Structures are given as structure tokens and as C-alpha cells.
């Protein structure tokens, strides 16, 4: 056995979609990006979306959109991927590491209130593994303190939380289409918001700050009726990067988006099998209060005190596993922002991420469950 931890589910539909981009001979930022943005807005139920080359880029320019004064602070959970905490740093702001909730591993509301100071201007909650952060409470705190909220939705895609899709609760939501995520474009990301003006303002930042992309100039300004339009002319009014999504990625994204509801259902079914399979184990417990009927999860994991032994045992059986994540402030780079996070310290040492991907077979799940049962008794 050789069971991967994550694996994208790609096939004929994606190949045909790429073929289409080849046939049109437009593989850069073009009409397919636009089409994917529209479809994404429909899918999550927001007014406007912006296609990027990663969620890291989305988070960075989401922070940029608000024009915060350098040196101020943004609160992020202490257990997350580096991209969440880099977003403020890229913008000359400081991350404030907030402790996590013991059960859900999302931002602790109590610690958020405790660590708040007047220098804090925004919060980036993460829906850890896909489990929703407590958005009502976070938003009401943000409203009281006049803070912006950027949702890091890298681990979820399309989950409905109390009547609204995750990613549409805050001012901006950022999704990832990197290869391990709920759906993929190879690498890719999407920013979404109901504030069309805000997204229009920040849109040029994804392409060097240029206010007209190549597709716009090709389709609109080159039009014969606009003979006098300066099709070559553009303006740069804000700091920009090379962060755009391209038509190859968007073509794959459109094909994946069609499959996403079915892929999400398969993920839920796998999590249900895992939960049923481990419910009678004595020491191995689910990492989160998973609700696969309600939410969309990119990761599944367990908690086990003998974590490292379990990881080695699974490896001996050909089962890949992981740890998501150790508290960010433990990395040498982030140490300068270390602060007190006793819950994160206590819980992260028991985390084990297990294989979760759409093409995982029922036999493979059974094999993993048997290995877990053996480990629960033996280690
Ligand atoms: C919580 C979180 N935020 C952001 C990202 C960044 O996503 P991307 O790889 O698309 O830049 C990731 C990627 O794993 C993530 O796990």
C-alpha cells in the first residue's frame, strides 16, 4: 500500500478544458478567468470575485485593499499555514498570534478579546480544516471595534454556515485552488466580496497595478468602432504584483467547479467512514468535532498522545500522514511575534492528519481504519 495524504482529482474534463485554451491560443489572463470569476461568485453567492495565482496572493492584496497604516496589527490564529500570517507582514503590518479554541482549533474568542489593542485593525480568521470559525461572534467583535475581517477559506469551498457560504461573512474571503485543496487549478486562488468597489479598486494589484489587462485592450480598445481609443495606453495607480490567474488555470477551475459539489460529498462520506470507524477506539480521537453533513472539509485528522509513534507506525504500513500545524510562532522567522498561546501549546503535539482525497477508495479507508485500531491497542 502507498496511500497519499492529499491528491487532486483530475480527468478528461480538465484535459478538454485545457485543450480549449490551446485552441483559442489564449493561455494568459483572459476571458476564461473572467468566466471563472463569474461562476465562482454565483457558486458562493457574492457580488464579485477576483482570480489570482494563489490564496497567499489573495490574502496579501486583500490586506492591501484597506490601505492600513504601516506598523499597525492584524490578529491571526496561532495554528494556521504561514500564508495567513505573511499577509500582514507583506503589508508592513504585524501579526498578533491569537490562541486557538481547544475543540475547533479556530481563533479563541476570549484570547482575541484579551490580545486586542488599539493598534489592531483587522482579523483574519481561518476555517481550520474546513470547520467554521465562529463568524457571528467574530463579526460582532469586529463591528464593535471597527475592524476589517478577511476570511481565510483555504480549507473550505462552498460550505454553508448558518445560511451563508463561508467566505462571504467577512469583508473579503480568500480561497485556495492549490493542488491539495477541495478543488484545484494546479495553483490558484480567488478573492470574493460583496463590496464591488473595493474589489475593483484592488483588481489592478494582481497585474502590476495596470488598470487595463491585455484581454480588455484586445477585445475592447482594438475594436474598430473605437478607432480613436488609445488601446496601448494604461495607467498604474497602485503597487502591483504578478499575481493574476491565467486562462489555463481558469479552464481547469471551471471544469473542477462543476465537479465540486460531488467531490465535496465524497469528502463528507470519507469523513463519515473515518468517524464511524474510530468511534470505539480508546485513545485515538477525532481532531475536530467534524460535521461532514454540514460543512466542507479539506483535511481529516485525529488526536493521539503518542503522535510521533503513530506517524511512524502509519508510515510502516504505507499510509502517509501529516501535522497541521505546529504553532507558527515556533518557526524561527515568526518567533519575533511569539506570545502566550497555552491552548495551542497543549494541543498541537497530538495532531495527526490522515489521508483525505476524493479518489481514496473504500478499501483504502478500511485499511487505514484497521491500522488505527491496531495502533490504538498497541502503541
Ligand atoms: C490556511 C491556509 N491559508 C492560506 C494558504 C495558501 O494557499 P495557496 O497555496 O493557494 O497560496 C494555505 C495553503 O495551504 C492554507 O492552508
Amino acid at each position: 500500500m502507498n496511500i497519499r495524504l492529499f491528491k487532486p482529482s483530475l480527468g478528461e474534463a480538465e484535459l478538454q478544458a485545457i485543450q480549449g485554451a490551446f485552441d483559442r491560443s489564449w493561455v494568459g489572463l483572459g476571458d476564461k478567468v473572467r468566466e471563472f470569476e463569474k461562476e465562482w461568485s454565483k457558486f458562493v453567492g457574492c457580488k464579485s470575485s477576483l482570480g489570482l495565482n494563489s490564496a497567499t496572493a489573495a490574502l496579501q492584496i486583500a490586506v492591501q485593499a484597506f490601505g492600513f497604516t504601516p506598523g499597525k496589527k492584524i490578529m491571526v490564529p496561532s495554528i494556521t499555514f504561514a500564508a495567513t500570517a505573511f499577509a500582514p507582514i507583506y503589508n508592513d503590518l504585524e501579526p498578533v498570534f491569537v490562541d486557538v479554541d481547544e475543540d475547533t482549533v479556530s481563533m479563541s474568542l476570549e484570547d482575541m478579546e484579551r490580545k486586542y489593542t488599539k493598534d489592531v485593525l483587522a482579523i483574519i480568521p481561518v476555517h481550520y480544516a474546513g470547520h467554521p470559525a465562529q463568524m457571528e461572534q467574530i463579526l460582532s467583535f469586529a463591528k464593535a471595534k471597527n475592524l476589517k475581517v478577511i476570511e481565510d477559506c483555504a480549507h473550505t469551498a462552498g460550505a454553508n454556515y448558518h445560511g451563508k457560504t463561508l467566505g462571504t461573512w467577512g469583508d473579503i474571503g480568500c480561497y485556495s485552488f492549490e493542488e491539495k485543496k477541495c478543488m484545484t487549478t494546479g495553483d490558484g486562488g480567488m478573492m470574493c466580496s460583496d463590496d464591488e468597489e473595493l474589489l475593483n479598486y484592488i483588481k489592478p494589484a494582481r497585474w502590476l497595478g495596470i488598470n487595463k489587462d491585455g484581454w480588455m485592450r484586445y477585445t475592447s480598445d482594438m475594436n474598430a468602432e473605437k478607432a480613436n481609443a488609445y488601446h496601448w495606453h494604461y495607467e498604474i495607480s497602485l503597487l502591483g504584483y504578478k499575481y493574476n490567474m491565467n486562462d489555463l488555470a481558469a479552464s481547469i477551475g471551471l471544469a473542477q467547479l462543476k465537479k465540486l459539489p460531488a467531490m465535496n460529498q465524497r469528502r463528507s462520506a470519507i469523513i463519515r467512514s473515518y468517524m464511524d470507524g474510530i468511534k470505539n477506539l480508546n485513545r485515538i480521537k477525532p481532531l475536530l468535532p467534524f460535521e461532514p453533513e454540514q460543512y466542507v472539509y479539506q483535511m481529516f485528522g485525529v488526536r493521539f498522545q503518542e503522535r510521533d509513534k503513530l506517524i511512524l507506525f502509519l508510515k510502516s504500513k504505507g499510509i502517509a500522514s501529516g501535522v497541521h500545524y505546529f504553532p507558527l510562532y515556533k518557526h524561527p522567522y515568526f518567533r519575533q511575534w511569539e506570545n502566550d498561546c497555552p491552548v495551542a501549546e497543549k494541543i498541537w503535539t497530538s495532531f495527526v492528519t490522515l489521508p483525505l482525497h476524493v479518489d481514496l477508495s473504500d478499501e483504502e479507508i478500511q485499511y487505514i481504519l484497521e491500522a488505527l485500531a491496531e495502533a490504538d491497542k498497541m502503541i
Side-chain angles (χ1 to χ4, degrees):
M1 278 279 184
N2 182 7
I3 305 179
R4 279 172 65 170
L5 186 56
F6 302 113
K7 185 171 146 310
S9 181
L10 297 161
E12 208 40 54
E14 289 79 6
L15 272 178
Q16 276 180 18
I18 295 172
Q19 182 68 49
F22 273 49
D23 293 345
R24 285 187 304 279
S25 206
W26 197 288
V27 293
L29 173 55
D31 205 31
K32 281 290 153 186
V33 174
R34 235 159 267 226
E35 191 182 326
F36 185 29
E37 289 168 344
K38 282 206 186 101
E39 290 302 317
W40 190 260
S41 295
K42 257 193 251 164
F43 177 69
V44 299
C46 70
K47 288 203 178 130
S48 192
S49 296
L50 201 57
L52 295 143
N53 62 9
S54 67
T56 304
L59 288 162
Q60 177 183 337
I61 69 167
V63 172
Q64 185 187 352
F66 297 109
F68 296 130
T69 310
K72 299 289 185 182
K73 297 180 175 173
I74 294 189
M75 294 202 274
V76 300
S78 51
I79 293 187
T80 180
F81 187 60
T84 321
F86 274 138
I89 297 166
Y90 292 146
N91 285 280
D92 296 324
L93 300 155
E94 289 193 37
V96 177
F97 288 117
V98 175
D99 207 355
V100 292
D101 178 80
E102 181 147 6
D103 296 327
T104 62
V105 195
S106 65
M107 215 179 244
S108 148
L109 299 172
E110 297 75 38
D111 202 47
M112 184 177 75
E113 293 187 18
R114 205 175 303 132
K115 295 209 173 119
Y116 170 79
T117 62
K118 287 255 176 301
D119 279 340
V120 171
L121 301 180
I123 313 173
I124 310 183
V126 177
H127 305 298
Y128 172 82
H131 201 78
Q134 292 169 278
M135 290 314 296
E136 286 99 338
Q137 291 87 336
I138 290 172
L139 287 187
S140 78
F141 181 76
K143 197 168 171 208
K145 305 288 184 197
N146 198 21
L147 309 177
K148 301 295 179 193
V149 176
I150 298 166
E151 288 176 78
D152 183 337
C153 299
H155 299 171
T156 185
N160 185 295
Y161 173 65
H162 299 174
K164 266 174 89 119
T165 311
L166 291 177
T168 65
W169 282 76
D171 296 283
I172 295 177
C174 299
Y175 300 87
S176 172
F177 306 132
E178 183 256 345
E179 75 154 6
K180 298 191 279 297
K181 301 306 191 301
C182 297
M183 62 164 266
T184 189
T185 59
D187 270 307
M190 195 69 89
M191 231 169 117
C192 77
S193 181
D194 279 336
D195 189 339
E196 287 176 279
E197 219 175 288
L198 184 71
L199 278 213
N200 279 337
Y201 161 73
I202 202 62
K203 187 174 179 175
R206 74 173 168 179
W207 199 57
L208 288 310
I210 294 170
N211 66 342
K212 288 188 210 168
D213 60 48
W215 181 258
M216 218 186 278
R217 281 187 268 152
Y218 170 67
T219 52
S220 160
D221 291 0
M222 276 295 281
N223 188 322
E225 286 162 23
K226 291 197 178 175
N228 294 328
Y230 288 120
H231 66 271
W232 47 268
H233 181 261
Y234 57 78
E235 265 176 16
I236 298 174
S237 312
L238 82 176
L239 176 62
Y241 305 89
K242 187 67 174 70
Y243 286 172
N244 60 280
M245 180 177 276
N246 65 43
D247 268 22
L248 274 182
S251 302
I252 300 172
L254 282 161
Q256 285 266 291
L257 183 53
K258 284 206 187 97
K259 296 179 178 175
L260 184 57
M263 293 200 292
N264 285 343
Q265 270 178 19
R266 175 67 188 147
R267 283 174 177 278
S268 292
I270 295 170
I271 291 180
R272 218 172 299 127
S273 303
Y274 270 133
M275 299 289 279
D276 282 349
I278 64 171
K279 69 173 185 270
N280 294 324
L281 300 187
N282 290 322
R283 296 182 299 142
I284 293 178
K285 298 291 168 199
L287 201 157
L288 293 174
F290 290 99
E291 293 180 64
E293 273 71 30
Q294 295 291 324
Y295 308 122
V296 174
Y297 294 93
Q298 182 245 339
M299 289 196 286
F300 177 79
V302 292
R303 298 189 193 200
F304 188 57
Q305 287 317 317
E306 301 290 340
R307 192 260 307 278
D308 294 340
K309 285 186 188 158
L310 177 58
I311 287 176
L312 290 178
F313 179 74
L314 293 173
K315 199 183 279 189
S316 75
K317 301 258 176 197
I319 302 166
S321 61
V323 174
H324 296 86
Y325 304 87
F326 61 96
L328 271 184
Y329 54 75
K330 288 186 174 293
H331 290 278
Y333 180 74
F334 290 114
R335 230 173 260 156
Q336 55 190 306
W337 294 287
E338 177 168 4
N339 63 24
D340 201 29
C341 293
V343 178
E345 286 291 320
K346 180 176 136 198
I347 64 178
W348 82 273
T349 50
S350 68
F351 289 2
V352 184
T353 312
L354 294 174
L356 177 63
H357 45 85
V358 172
D359 298 330
L360 205 59
S361 70
D362 292 343
E363 292 70 34
E364 286 172 321
I365 298 164
Q366 213 38 53
Y367 177 78
I368 298 167
L369 285 170
E370 281 161 22
L372 290 174
E374 204 182 324
D376 191 64
K377 280 205 206 97
M378 205 185 73
I379 293 177

